[in-house]
Amino acid sequence: MAGSGHGSGGPPLSSHYRYLDLLFALLGAAAFLADLLADLWVASSYMQAGHCLWGGLVLALLCLSSLVMQFFSWAWYQTDDIEQDLPSGCCLALVHLLQLGYLYRCFRMLRVGWRVCRAETAPQQEQGYAVFLSHDISMLRLFETFLESTPQLTLALSIVLHTNKVELFQGLGICTAFLCVAWSLLDYHQSLRCFLLDKHELGLLSSTIYFLWNFLLICPRVLAVALFATLFPCYIGLHFLGIWAAMLLWVWLQGTAFMECPRWEWLYRATVAVILYFCWFNVAKGQTRQRSAIYHGFILVDSVLLAGSWLWYNAPLRERSYLPPVLLAALVCSVLGLLLRITYYKWLHPTLQTRCQASYDEVDTAEGLAGFRAGPVPAPVNKRMYQLSQNHFLVSLQAGRNWGNGVLDDMSL
């Protein structure tokens, strides 16, 4: 999570890329490799135990997430015009066909970050380029989390509930997966804050609250889906496709424009629809309080119906008498997560200084930016993350004229 400066004028810059940022990048790359090896180990363990279907599902999720990540990485290389020292197009395509695109980005990030950290006075262009690379890695990590880690977590919970026993590797995997999902969201949110004029970095209290409410909302959702999958393994796929299609339609109606190519935009919408199956993800500018309330109400009702179906068909509970208290705790977690979410956006959301300027950079909206850096850009700007940051933090220019500065009260992420 690269640090950001307060410099005046200019969009999303980071005046300081620190050794701590480099350490996080190194740990992220190491965690990716460790997660890959763990997935292969889990899949082989299932297959050696005769559970070929379970092992196949683990490998299928791994392959799907890898293919999607490689495509996004390759597509961004095709449209970005500020990348430095890239190999030829054929070599770049080969790297991604070999499923090495994400690791290649991590290697470039570490190389540039090390060069920036070692230089006593690194040029602003180089500082900005290091942050640019870190933002793309953060976005790809978010995609990987919800295309692989979260579905695999659901699968692992479902297997544990089905067998009514937990192996050591399953227990450790489940705990670390929950934490990784919440951490990925926290890292993504910090990347968005790099584009704000002030209070851009998450403090200890706000980081803790943000981490907790994501953790407390995702846990019950994953548990409800896992319970339903245990009871109706043939219907969980239909349930996922139905919810995913509804979320895809919802994302399309909001008119996203994340990718440069309109045809590639549909892959982004499909990926976001998968994220929305598990947790809230804002994709459009403007007041999001109503959209967020509708989404959370819908997901809460859906999760209650999934868990209720499991209870109805498994009553009376004999071997799993521990589950009713767990379900009650999950409901409490959902309510507590929503309360913490409201607390965060009520008191801990960044205060944005509204600036009325005559001209804006090409990614600014027609009504202007409030609380974002604008003007000539001496350093690279990750337009994708900048656009998402506007979706989450943008305050209307009219509000800035009326109030001078304002606290964003819509619950964006």
Side-chain angles (χ1 to χ4, degrees):
M1 294 181 288
S4 299
H6 286 279
S8 61
L13 307 176
S14 177
S15 58
H16 300 289
Y17 188 86
R18 306 156 300 180
Y19 278 106
L20 182 61
D21 302 316
L22 184 63
L23 176 61
F24 277 126
L26 180 61
L27 291 177
F32 175 81
L33 291 174
D35 180 61
L36 175 62
L37 293 176
D39 290 339
L40 295 176
W41 175 47
V42 169
S44 63
S45 298
Y46 282 141
M47 290 185 174
Q48 289 175 3
H51 303 298
C52 295
L53 177 60
W54 294 345
L57 287 174
V58 172
L59 292 177
L61 291 171
L62 178 63
C63 292
L64 175 63
S65 67
S66 180
L67 288 172
V68 173
M69 277 198 350
Q70 302 305 320
F71 180 83
F72 275 118
S73 177
W74 174 82
W76 294 345
Y77 276 132
Q78 303 308 302
T79 56
D80 291 339
D81 56 0
I82 56 98
E83 291 286 355
Q84 305 172 3
D85 303 324
L86 283 178
S88 65
C90 292
C91 291
L92 204 58
L94 179 62
V95 167
H96 286 83
L97 284 175
L98 294 175
Q99 307 302 297
L100 298 174
Y102 178 80
L103 290 176
Y104 176 68
R105 282 183 176 271
C106 291
F107 171 75
R108 287 172 58 82
M109 172 73 259
L110 293 172
R111 187 180 63 178
V112 174
W114 175 250
R115 188 166 64 237
V116 167
C117 290
R118 290 198 64 185
E120 294 184 1
T121 56
Q124 192 177 50
Q125 179 80 14
E126 196 78 358
Q127 292 275 0
Y129 185 57
V131 177
F132 178 96
L133 294 175
S134 70
H135 285 166
D136 274 345
I137 290 175
S138 177
M139 196 69 193
L140 290 173
R141 185 182 298 121
L142 184 74
F143 290 160
E144 188 266 345
T145 295
F146 285 97
L147 290 174
E148 179 197 341
S149 299
T150 311
Q152 284 186 359
L153 172 61
T154 308
L155 175 63
L157 275 177
S158 178
I159 293 173
V160 169
L161 292 169
H162 176 76
T163 59
N164 204 28
K165 64 178 181 179
V166 56
E167 302 291 344
L168 177 61
F169 74 92
Q170 290 175 319
L172 292 175
I174 289 172
C175 292
T176 55
F178 271 124
L179 295 176
C180 287
V181 170
W183 174 259
S184 176
L185 288 171
L186 184 65
D187 176 62
Y188 168 75
H189 193 70
Q190 174 63 65
S191 295
L192 296 182
R193 286 204 179 204
C194 289
F195 297 91
L196 300 182
L197 281 168
D198 61 352
K199 296 190 178 180
H200 44 275
E201 291 188 349
L202 284 166
L204 178 60
L205 178 60
S206 56
S207 296
T208 303
I209 298 298
Y210 189 87
F211 179 88
L212 283 176
W213 74 252
N214 276 292
F215 182 78
L216 292 174
L217 288 179
I218 291 174
C219 287
R221 176 61 177 173
V222 170
L223 177 61
V225 175
L227 284 171
F228 188 80
T230 303
L231 185 62
F232 303 107
C234 297
Y235 293 107
I236 189 62
L238 294 177
H239 175 268
F240 169 78
L241 289 176
I243 301 297
W244 175 82
M247 295 301 174
L248 179 61
L249 176 63
W250 195 33
V251 172
W252 172 67
L253 291 175
Q254 294 181 63
T256 62
F258 182 78
M259 304 291 287
E260 295 287 340
C261 177
R263 290 175 299 176
W264 298 347
E265 185 68 21
W266 280 104
L267 178 62
Y268 169 72
R269 292 168 180 165
T271 304
V272 170
V274 176
I275 298 176
L276 288 169
Y277 182 80
F278 294 101
C279 78
W280 168 251
F281 187 84
N282 189 32
V283 295
K285 297 182 181 71
Q287 298 291 322
T288 59
R289 179 177 295 176
Q290 292 181 347
R291 294 200 301 266
S292 177
I294 292 172
Y295 170 83
H296 283 290
F298 174 81
I299 290 297
L300 180 61
V301 171
D302 181 66
S303 297
V304 169
L305 289 176
L306 292 178
S309 299
W310 189 91
L311 280 174
W312 179 267
Y313 284 95
N314 278 275
L317 296 173
R318 296 185 180 88
E319 296 181 353
R320 299 180 177 88
S321 58
Y322 60 89
L323 273 177
V326 170
L327 291 175
L328 180 60
L331 182 59
V332 172
C333 284
S334 296
V335 175
L336 182 58
L338 289 174
L339 291 176
L340 288 176
R341 192 172 194 268
I342 294 172
T343 299
Y344 173 83
Y345 285 101
K346 184 70 174 179
W347 289 288
L348 299 174
H349 206 58
T351 301
L352 306 179
Q353 299 295 327
T354 302
R355 290 190 175 183
C356 302
Q357 298 188 10
S359 61
Y360 295 91
D361 141 308
E362 62 180 343
V363 297
D364 295 349
T365 57
E367 68 269 19
L369 295 182
F372 290 84
R373 302 187 176 98
V377 187
V381 177
N382 195 311
K383 295 181 181 180
R384 291 176 290 274
M385 195 65 78
Y386 190 29
Q387 180 187 28
L388 290 172
S389 184
Q390 292 182 46
N391 295 344
H392 293 288
F393 298 119
L394 188 62
V395 181
S396 70
L397 186 59
Q398 182 62 42
R401 289 171 180 157
N402 292 339
W403 309 109
N405 60 57
V407 179
L408 191 65
D409 60 357
D410 53 321
M411 298 183 292
S412 303
L413 176 62

